[in-house]
Amino acid sequence: MIKNMNSYPLYDDGDHKVYWLGIEEAEDEKGILTNQYLVIDGNEGALIEPGGFFVFSRVLKNVSSLIPPTQLKYLMYSHQDPDVVAGLNLWFEYAPLAKLVISELWVRFIPHMAVLSAGRTVGIPDKGAEFKLGNSVIKAVPAHYLHSPGNFGFYDEKSGILFSTDIGAAAFPEGEWYLFVEDFEEHAGYMEGFHQRYMSSTKALKAWVRSVRKLNPNVIAPQHGAIFRDGNVSKFLDWLDGLEVGIDVFEKEFYGD
């Protein structure tokens, strides 16, 4: 059982801070462990990919050690999967001032999670949006069909960190885990199957890579797997740009010639 219950700083300039919020492995996760992140600017916080029910106590503890949950301004969700959103009703209770940020495509699904948003939901338009946090800005970066049809990464301008949703996810072998990618070639073997199965379109993936190159992030931090930094950022983007995924891989297998 893999557990690293402590938060880890990814960026800190005194006023603006970014943290990875620990990790723990559930028996049913099959190596697809989830990452949660916290961005703090001044006295405001944004919790990115808050996660499901079973990680809630660990994430809440780590958030509370860094900022009072009542100072969370945003709960930022890339898409609708339960490993992202299933803890929402708990976060609404413990972070009563926080706005839920998610693709406008999924706003109507929130009440089906037994959550009464009561005006607390902000739908992101398909082209993206900007969200002010303290004296900084977090951009919602479109990542549609990778894999969700309404999907966004979040780019923290001040730190240069792109939270890349499922893009960059890795399925670790049993008992193996690391926070940062060191050996890219080895790590690519843990990513390939996931991306080919869950990313729906090679065309969409290449378009995402083009948009991310324009941002020129310092760090790419996915919802699953390990974090890319330094030279591994460009290696990762190059690898994605040459990868065939989704229907382009499975068309013959699923539908025949």
Side-chain angles (χ1 to χ4, degrees), residues 193-236:
F194 182 96
H195 285 72
Q196 288 182 329
R197 186 63 180 91
Y198 285 94
M199 303 296 124
S200 62
S201 164
T202 303
K203 185 176 181 179
L205 186 58
K206 287 182 177 294
W208 183 85
V209 170
R210 289 196 303 271
S211 71
V212 170
R213 289 195 197 278
K214 294 176 184 177
L215 293 174
N216 193 27
N218 299 318
V219 172
I220 294 180
Q223 184 202 347
H224 309 282
I227 296 170
F228 303 90
R229 61 182 179 179
D230 302 326
N232 282 320
V233 172
S234 60
K235 286 183 180 180
F236 174 55

Side-chain angles (χ1 to χ4, degrees), residues 50 67 69 91 152 172 182 243 254:
I67 189 173
W91 283 110
F152 289 93
F172 288 111
E182 300 296 342
L243 189 66
F254 289 169

Side-chain angles (χ1 to χ4, degrees), residues 32-185:
I32 312 293
L33 286 70
T34 59
N35 296 314
Q36 295 81 34
Y37 303 97
L38 176 66
V39 182
I40 301 172
D41 195 279
N43 62 358
E44 293 184 337
L47 182 57
I48 296 176
E49 310 285 42
F53 175 79
F54 87 89
V55 305
F56 175 78
S57 60
R58 182 254 303 162
V59 179
L60 177 64
K61 179 180 178 181
N62 282 340
V63 168
S64 300
S65 71
L66 299 165
I67 189 173
T70 53
Q71 291 181 12
L72 288 176
K73 186 176 183 180
Y74 303 116
L75 304 170
M76 309 189 89
Y77 295 89
S78 59
H79 62 300
Q80 80 289 358
D81 278 359
D83 58 351
V84 182
V85 302
L88 176 58
N89 55 351
L90 292 169
W91 283 110
F92 263 26
E93 178 181 351
Y94 283 86
L97 303 180
K99 296 280 189 180
L100 159 65
V101 175
I102 197 167
S103 165
E104 60 186 10
L105 195 66
W106 304 122
V107 168
R108 69 182 182 87
F109 287 82
I110 298 303
H112 293 281
M113 301 178 63
V115 174
L116 300 178
S117 58
R120 292 178 63 182
T121 301
V122 179
I124 310 171
D126 281 345
K127 291 185 177 181
E130 295 187 353
F131 297 89
K132 185 173 174 55
L133 183 74
N135 293 316
S136 68
V137 171
I138 296 176
K139 290 184 175 181
V141 179
H144 304 310
Y145 300 101
L146 300 169
H147 62 95
S148 170
N151 195 40
F152 289 93
F154 297 103
Y155 180 61
D156 176 38
E157 287 191 328
K158 190 167 285 189
S159 68
I161 298 175
L162 173 64
F163 305 98
S164 60
T165 181
D166 280 320
I167 306 166
F172 288 111
E174 184 176 355
E176 183 168 352
W177 172 83
Y178 41 82
L179 180 55
F180 296 103
V181 176
E182 300 296 342
D183 184 336
F184 181 83
E185 285 68 30

